[in-house]
Amino acid sequence: MTKKAFLTIFSILLCMQAFAQYYDEGTRIKKLNEYQDSLTRLGKKIVNDENDMERKNANYQFIKTLVQALKINNSFLFPFDSVKSISIVNSPDNRFRILSWHVTNLDGSYRFYGTVQINTGGALKMFPLEDYSPLLKNPEDSVTDNHKWYGAQYYKIMPVYGPKPYYVLLGWKGNTVKSTKKVIDVISFNNGAPQFGMPVFNGNGKTRNRVVFEYARQVSMLLRFVPEQNIIVFDHLSAPDGRSKDKPETFGPDLSYDGYKLKEGRWTYVEDLDMRNITDGTSAGTDSQYIDPKKQAAKDRALLPVRH
């Protein structure tokens, strides 16, 4: 074979390979978009359907569909941003992402679902999250794996670098018909597997593995990370009167603010922050408040034009 013939064949093979890769990539994206459409439809049913059994059946189908979607090669790069019923947050170093969502139970309580997807650059590696909340009697003292997860719907991940790096998670945790919870949690990795909780929160004479807030369902609570000051800021919650001091389902913001300040890899409780010295955090993204998808859906419906 002449050198010219060899180069011609080599060029043709390169073109064929490039076309095959282009075709495969197009097929991959098309399939992911099809799965995304199905997840969007099922997600709306999970959030809005009034029938308890229908919500749970939709969630079962949602899980199956999501797993199939994530099995597609390099699915980590696909944002699933049309699926509004779930929260998807990537770690800033792009090492992993957490997909989390909830289903409302008939009694007004919540069950949480999720998975930690590792960025492998190819084949799927994930750790399904199993909500163990009802059986965790002392969640602030617990360190758990993905099978005993203190379920929440996360909206922020912040890395903390040190001898043992970890990531702080901010999450919303709907609770009952009377109260809502939010949580500051930690995820780290041992031998590649996720672990939740770490004794890094110091305050009020106690070291906590995670911090849990509970407050009245009809109010909102600020929980936000301000990177410029390396501080987690939150509303101070208090009872409306002395008789309710042991009833967190009555608590609400009292217009003062506390926080946890990062120092040498640990978080120290700080009382009565002067918010004039705290930036508004707009550069940190939209992490100030988690919005319940059902409440957002109700707002969206209210904005629709009235049909006569």
Side-chain angles (χ1 to χ4, degrees):
M1 180 184 295
T2 65
K3 183 178 180 181
K4 183 176 181 181
F6 173 78
L7 290 174
T8 301
I9 293 172
F10 184 70
S11 298
I12 292 171
L13 289 174
L14 282 177
C15 290
M16 290 175 65
Q17 183 183 29
F19 176 78
Q21 289 176 343
Y22 175 81
Y23 178 79
D24 289 344
E25 178 65 8
T27 302
R28 188 181 74 88
I29 296 298
K30 181 181 178 183
K31 194 65 180 174
L32 281 166
N33 277 310
E34 289 173 355
Y35 280 128
Q36 179 172 240
D37 290 344
S38 296
L39 291 168
T40 300
R41 175 179 54 80
L42 290 166
K44 288 178 180 178
K45 197 170 183 65
I46 291 170
V47 172
N48 297 316
D49 202 296
E50 298 296 328
N51 185 287
D52 182 65
M53 188 58 67
E54 289 296 323
R55 287 196 304 275
K56 289 175 179 175
N57 285 338
N59 186 59
Y60 175 72
Q61 292 298 324
F62 186 95
I63 293 170
K64 288 176 59 179
T65 305
L66 179 61
V67 171
Q68 290 302 311
L70 295 181
K71 282 181 178 178
I72 293 177
N73 197 50
N74 214 15
S75 64
F76 186 90
L77 298 178
F78 193 79
F80 295 101
D81 48 10
S82 294
V83 189
K84 304 300 184 183
S85 59
I86 66 173
S87 298
I88 303 176
V89 285
N90 286 50
S91 64
D93 57 11
N94 231 27
R95 179 183 178 186
F96 67 96
R97 65 179 178 177
I98 303 179
L99 301 86
S100 54
W101 69 96
H102 71 271
V103 178
T104 308
N105 295 317
L106 193 60
D107 63 359
S109 63
Y110 298 82
R111 175 142 188 198
F112 290 83
Y113 297 83
T115 191
V116 179
Q117 183 182 13
I118 308 300
N119 185 4
T120 65
L124 175 62
K125 182 179 181 182
M126 71 174 188
F127 297 88
L129 301 175
E130 302 171 30
D131 192 355
Y132 201 72
S133 301
L135 300 176
L136 281 176
K137 301 305 179 186
N138 298 295
E140 292 192 330
D141 299 330
S142 303
V143 175
T144 69
D145 60 17
N146 58 300
H147 301 294
K148 293 185 177 181
W149 175 50
Y150 190 63
Q153 196 157 343
Y154 302 119
Y155 56 89
K156 188 69 177 176
I157 299 177
M158 304 95 68
V160 179
Y161 301 108
K164 184 179 181 181
Y166 64 89
Y167 304 80
V168 173
L169 308 172
L170 302 185
W172 174 89
K173 185 173 178 62
N175 190 38
T176 68
V177 293
K178 292 184 178 180
S179 72
T180 299
K181 292 181 178 180
K182 281 191 175 181
V183 61
I184 310 173
D185 210 335
V186 168
I187 184 172
S188 58
F189 292 87
N190 286 333
N191 297 319
Q195 177 177 283
F196 292 89
M198 186 180 286
V200 292
F201 300 101
N202 300 326
N204 297 324
K206 181 180 179 180
T207 298
R208 294 169 170 80
N209 289 297
R210 66 178 53 81
V211 183
V212 182
F213 305 92
E214 184 175 2
Y215 52 96
R217 184 161 176 168
Q218 65 269 26
V219 303
S220 297
M221 176 196 170
L222 173 73
L223 176 60
R224 187 180 73 205
F225 176 58
V226 182
E228 291 82 0
Q229 279 89 3
N230 275 329
I231 193 168
I232 301 169
V233 178
F234 47 87
D235 280 306
H236 181 86
L237 302 172
S238 60
D241 52 57
R243 293 172 298 175
S244 304
K245 60 187 175 88
D246 296 321
K247 298 178 179 178
E249 68 273 12
T250 68
F251 288 10
D254 62 5
L255 302 182
S256 66
Y257 299 90
D258 301 328
Y260 278 98
K261 179 77 173 176
L262 181 64
K263 185 177 182 181
E264 297 179 353
R266 301 177 68 86
W267 299 85
T268 301
Y269 182 70
V270 183
E271 283 188 291
D272 201 18
L273 290 170
D274 185 348
M275 292 298 284
R276 291 172 299 181
N277 297 325
I278 302 294
T279 62
D280 64 7
T282 52
S283 61
T286 56
D287 62 332
S288 58
Q289 297 257 179
Y290 167 78
I291 300 175
D292 184 336
K294 191 164 187 177
K295 291 181 179 178
Q296 185 61 49
K299 289 181 180 179
D300 292 343
R301 286 196 297 272
L303 295 174
L304 292 174
V306 177
R307 296 187 180 184
H308 298 285

